[in-house]
Amino acid sequence: MSTASTERLSRLLAMVPYLLRHQGIPVPEAAEHFGITEDELVADLELLFVCGTPGHLPDDLIDARWESGHVYLSNADPIARPSRLAVDEAVALLVGLRTLAEVPGLHDRAALEGAMAKLSEATGEAAGAADAVAVDVSDASSAVVLENAREALRSHRRLHLSYLVPSRDERTERDVDPMRLVNVEGRWYLEAWCHRAEGVRLFRVDRIESAQVLDVDGTPPAWARSRDVAADLFRPSPDDLVVTIDLAPQAAWVVDYYPVESVQDAPEDAWEEASLRVRLRTADTHWVRRLLLRLGAGARVVDPPELAVQVREAALAALGRYA
């Protein structure tokens, strides 16, 4: 089932109990409630009109009427009750809310506690299961950084960061104008205008060794734009390490699945199996090492030489475990 079909099914399951409780609701109001156009609402109602219990006789189908500009629904008692969270869904929500409640300065605690109380009351079994799950967010240094970043955002103040660049094992000092804090795949990032780089940068909070709020206006430039972190989190930075790799034909798929900076035919003096030479930038070589181990004989590191040594040592260590 496609994503669009799944979303529509979820909407229809929510729409039936809502419309049954709001008989005569104007079509525009119902469409606005579900975040769709009036034409999409009518299309959903037309689909509901041919849905029902097995048999497909007139009395088995949902009766939907909207010609008067108001929506009326009947004969839909089997699915009249709103959808309920499954136990695993409720547990995940509760654990997530409780974890968020432990992060300092990043939320409205009263709203969080209210949401947790209502969810616990509505799902007693899930609340008990969630009590047995704990997520450790007790990194004291990151908590201080988050608190200071939140304060800088709230007061529009500049931050002075001491930031670790792992690809160069280098600690950098830089002033930034904070734009937002985002959480992606369980990690916190500070997005800010960096005066050192003169551009928008994402800083992993667990790599910020200290963050000092300065008594200086921290409003980012008008032209600073936030990234789409869902699709563009790992955009290469000029500060990143450049890695050059030769790929054999069986490993050519890498250029379609990873953010490479350039691709060219392998030079004549390259490794004899090589067909492509690619360059990429990365702030952390950990994922590159994993990729190279996965490719095995299908790839060779050209530069930097220390990365080639690391991959070779990791491969030998893996072989040693088999022995």
Side-chain angles (χ1 to χ4, degrees), residues 176-246:
V176 303
D177 297 331
M179 296 166 64
R180 60 174 175 164
L181 283 161
V182 292
N183 189 287
V184 181
E185 296 183 357
R187 286 197 175 102
W188 286 104
Y189 293 83
L190 169 67
E191 185 176 45
W193 173 267
C194 177
H195 289 270
R196 171 178 170 145
E198 295 187 345
V200 176
R201 294 290 184 268
L202 276 173
F203 301 96
R204 263 180 56 171
V205 168
D206 61 350
R207 292 179 183 162
I208 300 175
E209 297 188 340
S210 66
Q212 178 186 358
V213 182
L214 303 177
D215 191 17
V216 179
D217 179 63
T219 303
W223 57 86
R225 295 290 181 270
S226 292
R227 297 185 184 184
D228 177 4
V229 294
D232 199 23
L233 176 62
F234 302 109
R235 186 195 315 176
S237 161
D239 296 333
D240 290 347
L241 178 70
V242 177
V243 177
T244 304
I245 302 171
D246 282 348

Side-chain angles (χ1 to χ4, degrees), residues 105-106 143-155 157 159 161 178-181 189-190 205 208 211-213:
L106 294 173
V144 172
V145 170
L146 288 168
E147 186 72 35
N148 289 347
R150 184 64 176 176
E151 171 59 29
L153 283 165
R154 185 167 49 247
S155 58
R157 290 290 183 243
L159 279 171
L161 304 182
M179 296 166 64
R180 60 174 175 164
L181 283 161
Y189 293 83
L190 169 67
V205 168
I208 300 175
Q212 178 186 358
V213 182

Side-chain angles (χ1 to χ4, degrees), residues 59-104:
D59 289 342
D60 298 321
L61 302 177
I62 295 174
D63 183 16
R65 291 174 289 125
W66 60 92
E67 292 81 2
S68 64
H70 294 75
V71 182
Y72 297 91
L73 213 63
S74 60
N75 204 33
D77 293 340
I79 52 174
R81 296 185 63 183
S83 300
R84 297 178 63 85
L85 291 171
V87 172
D88 57 341
E89 294 171 328
V91 168
L93 277 174
L94 280 169
V95 171
L97 288 171
R98 290 173 182 174
T99 303
L100 185 60
E102 296 179 24
V103 178

